[in-house]
Amino acid sequence: MPVTLLGAAEVRALAADLGVTPTKKLGQNFVVDANTVRKIVHLAGVQAGEHVVEVGPGLGSLTLAILETGAEVTAVEIDHRLAERLPATASAHGVPQGALRVIDEDALRVVQLPGEPEVLVANLPYNVSVPVLLHFLETFRSIVRGVVMVQAEVGERLAALPGSKVYGAPSAKAAWWGTWRLAGTVSRQVFWPVPNVDSVLVGFQRTDPLGSETERALTFRIIDAAFQQRRKMLRQALAGVLGGSAAQASAALERAGIAPTARGEELTAAEFLRIARAHSPEPR
């Protein structure tokens, strides 16, 4: 029996049956278009036999499209009603037993997943998309690639390169884990309810970490400080992190080969790491 997908009428019927009204607090906008979820799965390159982790499966539209490929899915859902119903929905749509596992938990608190998922595919809640992405990349090193749907503004930041107007802390932190690209746009009309923001698809491919976990923690602190005061020169913006004064920050920046008069938006993740190493070198 082939896996079948949800249509718009069934999405609304499922929500009504569960007494679910999509909420802004949880960032819930359910996809009601089968072509869109198939497009996401295609762009992620999901293959039969792969293990995919999905965050925020909701009523199951994207979940079923992933399962349609013959992949296994571990779905993490914070809404108890949705988490409880999803296995029954999957079974009713032809999903083989054992192909879907549901974790009823806040994605930001998940630190263990069954098996070792290789792919992350998700329609991420707008309000927590960047924290969830960074948490999953940090926590689950088995994830090597993925495609996520996020608010357009967030997606543009994730994929931005140094020098871009939208390059910021999310851009630099995401680059620690791999390469990012804008993979496509998504019409507002494929969602229920229709959101008041545009969405994009962002793809990523993991690369080797730029440094150690200790170095990452310091590098991310430096990145945060640089972009909290992005109009200031680094010698001023980083004073609090690099010793307490602009002079100490300047010295660390010069050791790293970075101009103290530069600004955070000019630097790559690797250059932020150089600053961290110049400030607090690890034994080698």
Side-chain angles (χ1 to χ4, degrees):
M1 176 180 174
V3 174
T4 57
L5 304 190
L6 291 174
E10 191 173 1
V11 168
R12 289 181 172 83
L14 272 170
D17 187 43
L18 289 169
V20 169
T21 301
T23 70
K24 281 189 177 181
K25 181 181 177 182
L26 296 179
Q28 290 172 324
N29 294 90
F30 300 125
V31 181
V32 295
D33 177 64
N35 289 331
T36 298
V37 290
R38 283 192 172 118
K39 174 183 176 181
I40 296 169
V41 173
H42 173 73
L43 287 170
V46 177
Q47 303 293 318
E50 286 192 305
H51 184 182
V52 178
V53 60
E54 181 188 7
V55 177
L59 294 164
S61 298
L62 180 55
T63 316
L64 292 172
I66 302 168
L67 289 162
E68 186 183 38
T69 68
E72 295 179 31
V73 174
T74 296
V76 181
E77 175 56 62
I78 192 173
D79 188 315
H80 307 307
R81 297 165 299 174
L82 298 175
E84 187 176 7
R85 173 58 70 92
L86 189 55
T89 301
S91 179
H93 282 259
V95 174
Q97 191 166 1
L100 171 67
R101 287 166 286 197
V102 180
I103 296 176
D104 183 355
E105 198 170 340
D106 181 345
L108 287 169
R109 296 179 180 274
V110 172
V111 293
Q112 287 186 313
L113 291 172
E116 294 193 333
E118 306 107 326
V119 190
L120 171 63
V121 179
N123 169 20
L124 288 174
Y126 292 155
N127 50 348
V128 293
S129 51
V130 171
V132 165
L133 270 173
L134 295 178
H135 172 65
F136 268 65
L137 287 167
E138 176 188 344
T139 308
F140 305 110
R141 302 299 172 95
S142 61
I143 296 173
V144 297
R145 71 179 196 278
V147 170
V148 294
M149 181 155 51
V150 294
Q151 185 176 338
E153 180 183 342
V154 172
E156 287 161 6
R157 285 181 180 172
L158 285 168
L161 297 174
S164 162
K165 288 183 179 179
V166 295
Y167 183 77
S171 323
K173 290 179 179 179
W176 181 276
W177 301 113
T179 57
W180 299 74
R181 72 187 193 282
L182 289 175
T185 57
V186 182
S187 167
R188 297 184 185 191
Q189 303 307 314
V190 305
F191 295 99
W192 171 70
V194 176
N196 57 6
V197 294
D198 292 316
S199 300
V200 296
L201 300 173
V202 180
F204 69 88
Q205 184 76 41
R206 188 192 284 272
T207 56
D208 290 335
L210 297 178
S212 70
E213 183 56 25
T214 302
E215 289 173 330
R216 183 195 65 78
L218 177 56
T219 302
F220 279 21
R221 282 179 56 210
I222 291 169
I223 290 170
D224 285 334
F227 287 102
Q228 279 165 3
Q229 304 179 77
R230 65 183 298 149
R231 292 185 180 180
K232 290 189 176 182
M233 296 177 186
L234 288 174
R235 68 186 178 198
Q236 297 166 302
L238 301 183
V241 184
L242 301 180
S245 72
Q248 288 170 303
S250 290
L253 287 160
E254 286 168 356
R255 288 196 300 273
I258 305 294
T261 54
R263 289 176 170 79
E265 63 204 43
E266 302 170 36
L267 271 57
T268 65
E271 288 171 322
F272 280 115
L273 172 60
R274 273 168 41 199
I275 298 170
R277 285 176 172 167
H279 175 62
S280 181
E282 284 197 346
R284 295 189 182 281

